Amino acid sequence: MKHVHIHITGIVQGVGMRPFVYRTAMAHGISGWVLNAGDGVHIEASAENASALDAFVRALRDEAPAAARIDGIEVVEHAGNTDDAGADTPQGVMPEDPSPIFRIVASDDETERTTLVSPDIATCPDCLRELFDPSDRRYRYPFINCTNCGPRFTIIRSLPYDRPATSMDAFPMCPACAAEYADPADRRFHAQPNACFSCGPHITWREKVQTGTDAWERRDGITPAVGTTRQKSDAIIERCVEMLAAGGIVAIKGLGGFHLACDASNEHAVRDLRRRKRRSNKPLAVMVGDIEGARALCTIDEAEAELLTGSIRPIVLLRRRKQDERDGEWGSGQGKGGSDHSPKGNGNSRPEGDGSDRSNSSESSRPSLAPSVAFDLPELGIMLPYTPLQHLLLAACAARGVHTLVMTSGNVSEEPIETDDGLAWAHMVEGGLADALLGNNRAILTRYDDSVIRVIDGHAMPVRRARGYAPQPLDLPPCAPNEEAQQSDGPRSDIPCILACGPEQKATIALTREQPDGSALCFVSQHIGDVENGETFDAWHEARHRMSSLFELEPHALACDLHPTYLSSQWARAEASADGRPLIEVQHHHAHIASVIAEMAARGIIGPAEQVLGIALDGTGAGTDGTVWGGEVMIASLSGFTRMVHLKPWRLPAGMASVRDARRNAFSLLHSCELLDHPGARVLAEGLSEAERAVTATMIERGLNSPLTSSMGRLLDAMAAMLGICLNATYEGEPAIMLEAAAWRALGTDDARRAHDRADSSDYRLALQEQPVSAPDEQTRQRRSRVGEHAIDQVIELDPAPMVRAALDGLSAGRPVEAIAADVHFAVAQAVCDASIQIARRSGIRNVALSGGVFMNRLLLGEVLQRLRAEGLRPLVPSAVPVNDGCIAFGQAAVARAQLCER
């Protein structure tokens, strides 16, 4: 009799791993047991011969549940026979009574908590079939789930993952559910959220009192209606759909928080939602019932279809169909984004039941959009239902002629998403954001937004990494050894857990855990938001405590952004000063490039100590010279960097005020280029009053509250304002986003693209100029030393003046602004690539890492990829983290770890 102990690590809890192990053991004639522990899944396995055990272990890896991720399978043979079973089993995981049959035993909590937790999983096909099967006992139950789907991380209180450690502990199972839970042959065997109408959570409904209308069950807005039976649950869903179809706004509880929902084809409802949420122009995500509904609105390739219909179901940014492909509004010119183009909702109420503002009639079976869902932007964010309730809602909406719902985060702009029913009622319904609240009595323990993904070049690129992806850890490569480590055997054992505090915008945090092979895991949190106010900073702390506690990670080193005023950086400096923990400050754009290096090194594409060219095109980042960076090409490794190329700086009068008011930024850029008197600049200049022009000019000339910037994001903002495309930003990056949208209108078809390529656009260029680097002051030297920047004598400056002059010439000549916008993109791409090619030839480096929020621009990214590849360079684009600031915490962790390894 052969006997082994098997330890499986990875994402192995909440994915049906123990039932799978049980069934696999029975199929291979294995006796023993399986249990969940804090460090993974442990198995004691006995068989008559070694071949059966070998086949069993192979099956564990090769046939694991789809939602599982197997990182390691360790097999330890026991000496002797079955009587010695457990002799070498790790302490704390051996049941008291070994059994000759195979069984699942109670979870153990005495081991170190190193296992990974499954993210929430979209409703599986089996549960979806049962949801709409009148003969099934869970027919239309809004919380149907099994081991293959349902909530996971959002309901976990602690590890190991068992029902008492989740928010489902408030719902004792009825006999029928308990029997399924205990039956190894059942799909719900050890499904922790298992429930039904008799014993599980129920949806609830509250709405504002509306005088002069017929009463509905408990419509007083104080005591919610509760869907304790199918009939009551269906009545709630029907009332919700009735309100949505009539133009109302409903706060709907999801897996990780609330959505604000309205009929996406109802222009009045969409504008009313924008007014209430204070989100005038930023595009809104929509939900449709199925993939065909998505195809009616957008073109979808195979990779995008897989994302839409898979087990995660993020928001996918898709290319909208043109006007000649459907009766849609894109390109119609109605309600362009940009604060000076978009008509705002006036807040007037419309009588219930009046569907006159819908884009298409309610009888149409084809999804349609109101113009103000995404205005003239070429992309639309679409997701498909991923919870049973969403499936029920979309089906009921379709029966009323509503085929598309706006589903945007349930919060006021710039604040955390709501998760608690009581607070959601107070903040969203009583606060005026919504007319009613569709909640439930299952607590959300961790706040999660929807993830957002875009497919570029056939590969998925995250835009926002949250539900379905976080907190799955990312790999960090083995440390590049220092001299002492080179002389020792084995990996470094002295690298501490690092807390990377992340950026200010699109904030995440990251915690590291060293691995026995010298690599590390990096637990990157879900998207938290912009840490610019107390509410979001509280959410930042909440995420930090949650991850540290759940994974038992106690940070002994801190990493933060170099910026002096970021709240997270100020907290890290105070903590390090108070308790003496090492603090590693990381320059913002080095963190961007380091996030790409770390991912590629962990995947084996480059070496962990290898240098790359890093193109960091971004909006804002504190530079070591005290200026605002964001248009840089650097030679970088994980531990340090050399700034080789940057945009020629100009001033941002009033700092952040110029980010919001792109006219000031454009005025300053024209001042820097000595083009304020150009005839093409007249419209921009006249848009500012004489007093505004005088004050702005004085600020620029004297450097009063006007930091220098080399930001590519700010350059594109300025060009958008100069062309009259967008004068003020109502959300981050809006002018640059509208500039890209204008360019796509000029390049909307292949014929138009070829015609544009043939046009004489040679005047649109940025001049490349070698410039000496001035001697740094003491503060700059100190900052460079702290972040690992290497000094050089000369740098290449990219001067935008020729491009700006060409754009003004085009305006004066009456050239369409869309064509000018396209040439601006091509000029920027050409200049950045030309400079990078020069540095590549000097250095011999062929790998080029791309990061920074500007690379969210599909057109610019595509142009840069094409031009670099044409020169034989290898561009590296991340797929694990976004190119925007959502990557910064991961990059900080990688830099901090590399620098600690060198000490």
Side-chain angles (χ1 to χ4, degrees):
M1 177 73 72
K2 291 286 185 178
H3 192 92
V4 297
H5 179 83
I6 303 168
H7 180 202
I8 306 178
T9 57
I11 299 178
V12 292
Q13 295 192 14
V15 294
M17 193 69 188
R18 287 178 298 171
F20 160 72
V21 171
Y22 176 91
R23 292 189 295 270
T24 305
M26 298 301 289
H28 288 81
I30 305 296
S31 61
W33 50 258
V34 59
L35 62 75
N36 270 346
D39 61 347
V41 169
H42 288 265
I43 304 165
E44 288 286 320
S46 299
E48 292 293 336
N49 55 70
S51 61
L53 282 173
D54 291 343
F56 174 59
V57 173
R58 282 196 302 272
L60 293 179
R61 181 181 293 279
D62 297 343
E63 302 169 17
R69 191 185 94 185
I70 306 296
D71 288 344
I73 298 181
E74 180 185 16
V75 181
V76 178
E77 292 190 19
H78 293 303
N81 55 33
T82 309
D83 293 337
D84 300 312
D88 299 317
T89 301
Q91 185 177 5
V93 298
M94 182 66 188
E96 295 180 359
D97 54 336
S99 171
I101 62 172
F102 201 89
R103 60 199 177 94
I104 294 178
V105 298
S107 296
D108 184 274
D109 196 28
E110 296 180 18
T111 57
E112 183 184 5
R113 297 182 187 180
T114 59
T115 194
L116 308 182
V117 180
S118 166
D120 297 1
I121 306 171
T123 307
C124 71
D126 287 330
C127 284
L128 188 59
R129 174 180 48 78
E130 293 171 347
L131 181 67
F132 289 101
D133 180 0
S135 66
D136 194 272
R137 74 183 189 91
R138 291 186 178 84
Y139 175 52
R140 301 185 62 80
Y141 179 53
F143 301 92
I144 190 172
N145 69 87
C146 67
T147 55
N148 300 317
C149 67
R152 298 292 189 269
F153 193 75
T154 54
I155 64 169
I156 291 174
R157 184 175 294 109
S158 63
L159 293 175
Y161 174 63
D162 276 315
R163 194 179 185 100
T166 73
S167 58
M168 287 299 296
D169 63 347
F171 304 98
M173 282 182 282
C174 67
C177 287
E180 294 169 333
Y181 184 90
D183 181 1
D186 196 282
R187 198 176 82 251
R188 294 184 171 88
F189 183 43
H190 281 246
Q192 306 308 331
N194 189 31
C196 68
F197 275 114
S198 298
C199 64
H202 301 109
I203 58 173
T204 59
W205 177 262
R206 297 173 72 183
E207 66 180 80
K208 288 180 179 177
V209 175
Q210 299 194 23
T211 58
T213 61
D214 294 334
W216 188 78
E217 182 185 5
R218 295 183 181 177
R219 289 185 67 189
D220 57 11
I222 300 172
T223 305
V226 182
T228 53
T229 66
R230 186 174 70 244
Q231 292 74 20
K232 291 181 178 180
S233 181
D234 283 351
I236 288 174
I237 291 170
E238 185 60 29
R239 175 56 187 161
C240 176
V241 171
E242 178 188 0
M243 183 171 283
L244 291 170
I249 299 168
V250 181
I252 301 173
K253 191 175 183 180
L255 287 176
F258 279 83
H259 289 105
L260 287 170
C262 73
D263 178 1
S265 67
N266 185 324
E267 177 67 6
H268 182 279
V270 175
R271 288 192 178 276
D272 192 25
L273 174 58
R274 287 189 173 281
R275 176 188 62 82
R276 298 194 203 187
K277 189 174 164 68
R278 301 202 295 270
R279 184 170 172 167
S280 58
N281 298 329
K282 191 174 183 180
L284 298 166
V286 301
M287 180 177 283
V288 296
D290 55 34
I291 187 70
E292 294 309 316
R295 285 197 171 104
L297 298 171
C298 298
T299 60
I300 300 174
D301 64 24
E302 184 177 348
E304 291 163 340
E306 288 180 3
L307 285 167
L308 285 168
T309 59
S311 64
I312 296 175
R313 300 205 169 189
I315 297 169
V316 183
L317 297 181
L318 302 168
R319 292 152 293 182
R320 296 171 69 180
R321 291 193 179 276
K322 308 300 187 295
Q323 193 168 357
D324 58 354
E325 296 181 89
R326 64 178 184 87
D327 296 327
E329 291 72 32
W330 183 44
S332 67
Q334 294 185 31
K336 286 182 183 179
S339 61
D340 290 85
H341 296 280
S342 303
K344 309 298 189 293
N346 59 19
N348 294 332
S349 298
R350 182 172 55 83
E352 283 197 10
D354 179 4
S356 59
D357 287 317
R358 288 192 191 158
S359 299
N360 289 352
S361 68
S362 62
E363 288 76 24
S364 172
S365 62
R366 185 171 62 176
S368 61
L369 290 181
S372 59
V373 168
F375 299 110
D376 277 346
L377 294 180
E379 288 185 322
L380 178 66
I382 294 184
M383 59 180 160
L384 268 56
Y386 56 84
T387 71
L389 176 61
Q390 291 168 355
H391 282 286
L392 292 168
L393 283 171
L394 266 293
C397 281
R400 283 182 172 264
V402 177
H403 299 279
T404 315
L405 293 179
V406 168
M407 293 287 268
T408 188
S409 55
N411 60 334
V412 177
S413 293
E414 313 307 328
E415 292 185 5
I417 188 172
E418 296 287 355
T419 59
D420 177 80
D421 288 58
L423 292 176
W425 173 262
H427 295 162
M428 291 196 289
V429 183
E430 291 182 335
L433 271 72
D435 302 310
L437 185 143
L438 176 52
N440 64 64
N441 58 347
R442 183 179 68 197
I444 296 173
L445 299 184
T446 304
R447 178 183 284 110
Y448 265 75
D449 284 283
D450 293 309
S451 291
V452 182
I453 306 292
R454 173 190 276 132
V455 175
I456 296 289
D457 213 18
H459 302 287
M461 288 180 57
V463 175
R464 183 170 71 198
R465 186 175 182 269
R467 176 186 55 79
Y469 295 92
Q472 293 187 54
L474 307 176
D475 293 322
L476 288 172
C479 281
N482 58 18
E483 290 185 15
E484 181 179 340
Q486 288 176 336
Q487 298 171 5
S488 65
D489 295 329
R492 297 281 297 274
S493 60
D494 59 339
I495 305 302
C497 170
I498 300 165
L499 168 64
C501 297
E504 182 174 69
Q505 294 183 319
K506 297 178 174 60
T508 61
I509 62 167
L511 286 159
T512 65
R513 174 187 287 146
E514 294 300 313
Q515 298 293 90
D517 65 355
S519 65
L521 296 178
C522 187
F523 294 82
V524 181
S525 76
Q526 72 275 23
H527 167 85
I528 297 169
D530 296 347
V531 184
E532 299 174 322
N533 55 58
E535 292 83 359
T536 313
F537 198 34
D538 287 344
W540 183 91
H541 282 295
E542 179 184 298
R544 178 175 63 84
H545 288 302
R546 179 97 172 109
M547 290 180 61
S548 180
S549 172
L550 189 65
F551 299 115
E552 290 190 344
L553 293 171
E554 185 62 35
H556 293 285
L558 303 170
C560 71
D561 195 280
L562 177 65
H563 199 287
T565 65
Y566 285 179
L567 292 178
S568 57
S569 296
Q570 290 179 338
W571 176 87
R573 294 185 186 105
E575 288 288 305
S577 176
D579 58 26
R581 280 182 286 181
L583 173 67
I584 298 89
E585 291 180 292
V586 183
Q587 199 281 323
H588 188 85
H589 301 103
H590 182 212
H592 267 292
I593 301 305
S595 71
V596 185
I597 298 174
E599 178 182 339
M600 299 303 159
R603 291 166 54 186
I605 294 173
I606 62 175
E610 190 170 337
Q611 289 186 323
V612 303
L613 287 185
I615 303 178
L617 305 184
D618 199 32
T620 300
T624 55
D625 57 3
T627 67
V628 180
W629 292 4
E632 329 300 319
V633 179
M634 58 180 67
I635 293 177
S637 66
L638 286 179
S639 59
F641 69 96
T642 304
R643 188 185 188 209
M644 306 297 294
V645 181
H646 62 77
L647 273 175
K648 182 179 180 180
W650 71 99
R651 294 199 175 273
L652 283 179
M656 286 302 296
S658 280
V659 177
R660 293 184 293 270
D661 184 353
R663 299 172 305 165
R664 299 190 196 192
N665 178 10
F667 184 91
S668 181
L669 179 64
L670 290 171
H671 185 282
S672 171
C673 297
E674 299 182 351
L675 290 168
L676 277 172
D677 294 330
H678 191 290
R682 186 180 67 254
V683 173
L684 174 71
E686 290 175 352
L688 295 166
S689 69
E690 184 176 347
E692 286 176 318
R693 292 197 301 272
V695 170
T696 302
T698 299
M699 294 179 70
I700 295 167
E701 291 161 3
R702 298 183 182 178
L704 298 174
N705 188 25
S706 300
L708 288 166
T709 185
S710 58
S711 164
M712 187 62 74
R714 300 292 80 84
L715 175 63
L716 297 178
D717 286 351
M719 297 306 297
M722 197 180 304
L723 297 176
I725 292 170
C726 181
L727 305 181
N728 291 279
T730 65
Y731 61 91
E732 183 194 2
E734 182 180 4
I737 289 169
M738 298 310 301
L739 184 73
E740 182 193 4
W744 280 117
R745 289 197 292 275
L747 307 170
T749 65
D750 290 339
D751 289 341
R753 178 62 180 270
R754 284 192 292 270
H756 191 93
D757 287 346
R758 288 194 299 269
D760 182 11
S761 303
S762 58
D763 290 338
Y764 287 82
R765 62 184 181 84
L766 283 75
L768 276 64
Q769 302 170 340
E770 292 269 2
Q771 295 289 345
V773 177
S774 58
D777 58 23
E778 183 58 29
Q779 280 190 322
T780 299
R781 279 194 293 269
Q782 289 179 5
R783 285 190 289 257
R784 285 178 175 173
S785 175
R786 296 204 304 272
V787 302
E789 181 186 2
H790 309 295
I792 53 173
D793 296 329
Q794 284 205 320
V795 67
I796 297 176
E797 272 191 353
L798 306 180
D799 185 356
M803 179 186 71
V804 173
R805 179 180 292 278
L808 295 176
D809 290 344
L811 283 176
S812 298
R815 191 171 184 230
V817 294
E818 291 83 0
I820 298 173
D823 279 332
V824 167
H825 281 77
F826 297 147
V828 166
Q830 187 66 57
V832 168
C833 290
D834 285 348
S836 299
I837 291 162
Q838 281 193 31
I839 302 303
R841 288 171 178 165
R842 296 180 195 174
S843 64
I845 297 172
R846 311 302 292 173
N847 292 311
V848 187
L850 309 181
S851 189
V854 171
F855 281 121
M856 297 290 297
N857 184 314
R858 187 191 288 266
L859 175 59
L860 187 59
L861 175 58
E863 288 295 315
V864 170
L865 290 174
Q866 178 181 324
R867 293 167 196 262
L868 291 177
R869 287 169 179 157
E871 292 294 326
L873 300 180
R874 179 166 68 167
L876 306 175
V877 181
S879 59
V881 292
V883 292
N884 61 37
D885 281 7
C887 75
I888 293 296
F890 180 55
Q892 289 173 349
V895 171
R897 185 168 173 271
Q899 292 188 3
L900 288 172
C901 284
E902 291 185 349
R903 293 183 182 179

